[in-house]
Amino acid sequence: MIGVLALQGGYEAHARAIARAGGEACEVRTAEELQAVDGLIIPGGESTTMLKLLDRENLFEPLRAFGNAKPVFGTCAGAILLAREVSNPKQNSLGLVDIAVERNAYGRQLDSRVTSIEGENLGAMEAVFIRAPIIRRAGAGVKVIASYNGDPVLVEQGRHLVATFHPELSSDNLVHKYFLDKVAAQ
Ligand code: GLN
């Protein structure tokens, strides 16, 4: 069972994408619900708001502990929450993946677009960027699966997966299938 963190942002589309990819998804809002899932998706939205809600619901530490044992897939704001380091502005994060991200880094004019990217062993996929962060540094343990304009946009480190775009808005479901495989391999 895949949990989708459902405090804020695009969680419903992730649950539908997991179903299209052949998996089962449920919404997670409490530490008890988190205990019941095999992998977790942190959706896009507004990372600052999500951080506040994680704090209010006392979910920050349970999430970090979950990530120390089970796979987490963060997209866009979720990628920002998973990163080790966040800039523009600096903010707290779970630090589960050794990347440094800069928020809203594509600037005003290019801030939302749909493009095609090539994933290693995944082939061509559609990538929808919405006020996306840029991964400015990826540590030695981080594997880049796909890049756009020379910057990594889909990376993994061990059991965790990070996308700076929104794979839940694409019809190909490739990235969600990939995450389901990672969870099954645990
Ligand atoms: N700009 C948002 C942030 O910095 C992320 C945007 C998104 O998730 N689509 O948190």
Side-chain angles (χ1 to χ4, degrees):
M1 177 67 74
I2 306 296
V4 186
L5 186 68
L7 298 178
Q8 191 262 343
Y11 52 88
E12 286 176 341
H14 273 291
R16 288 195 293 270
I18 284 292
R20 285 199 302 272
E24 259 194 290
C26 65
E27 295 180 356
V28 167
R29 293 187 179 80
T30 64
E32 291 69 42
E33 287 168 346
L34 191 55
Q35 288 314 308
V37 299
D38 308 303
L40 183 77
I41 297 179
I42 307 181
E46 179 54 51
S47 56
T48 312
T49 308
M50 256 189 251
L51 269 177
K52 281 190 194 136
L53 294 172
L54 284 177
D55 203 40
R56 197 183 74 187
E57 304 299 319
N58 289 318
L59 266 175
F60 190 86
E61 282 309 326
L63 251 185
R64 206 207 294 264
F66 180 90
N68 282 328
K70 289 180 178 167
V72 182
F73 173 25
T75 64
C76 207
I80 296 168
L81 288 179
L82 282 181
R84 181 142 301 162
E85 220 181 297
V86 181
S87 61
N88 192 35
K90 231 176 152 45
Q91 68 186 22
N92 195 18
S93 54
L94 294 162
L96 289 168
V97 178
D98 188 17
I99 53 173
V101 300
E102 179 185 339
R103 294 177 60 202
N104 301 316
Y106 288 98
R108 285 260 146 182
Q109 299 213 296
L110 277 176
D111 73 2
S112 300
R113 90 210 68 123
V114 182
T115 187
S116 179
I117 59 173
E118 193 71 33
E120 196 184 314
N121 298 323
L122 289 175
M125 58 185 129
E126 188 181 65
V128 180
F129 291 91
I130 305 170
R131 305 198 71 217
I134 290 182
I135 297 174
R136 294 296 189 193
R137 180 189 66 77
V142 175
K143 184 180 167 213
V144 177
I145 303 172
S147 297
Y148 171 66
N149 271 357
D151 297 307
V153 294
L154 179 63
V155 305
E156 67 185 345
Q157 183 174 24
R159 67 184 85 88
H160 304 311
L161 184 65
V162 165
T164 61
F165 56 99
H166 287 263
E168 77 283 8
L169 301 179
S170 303
S171 46
D172 55 52
N173 307 319
L174 284 169
V175 183
H176 286 80
K177 278 196 191 112
Y178 189 73
F179 184 60
L180 282 174
D181 288 345
K182 279 178 88 71
V183 173
Q186 278 295 297

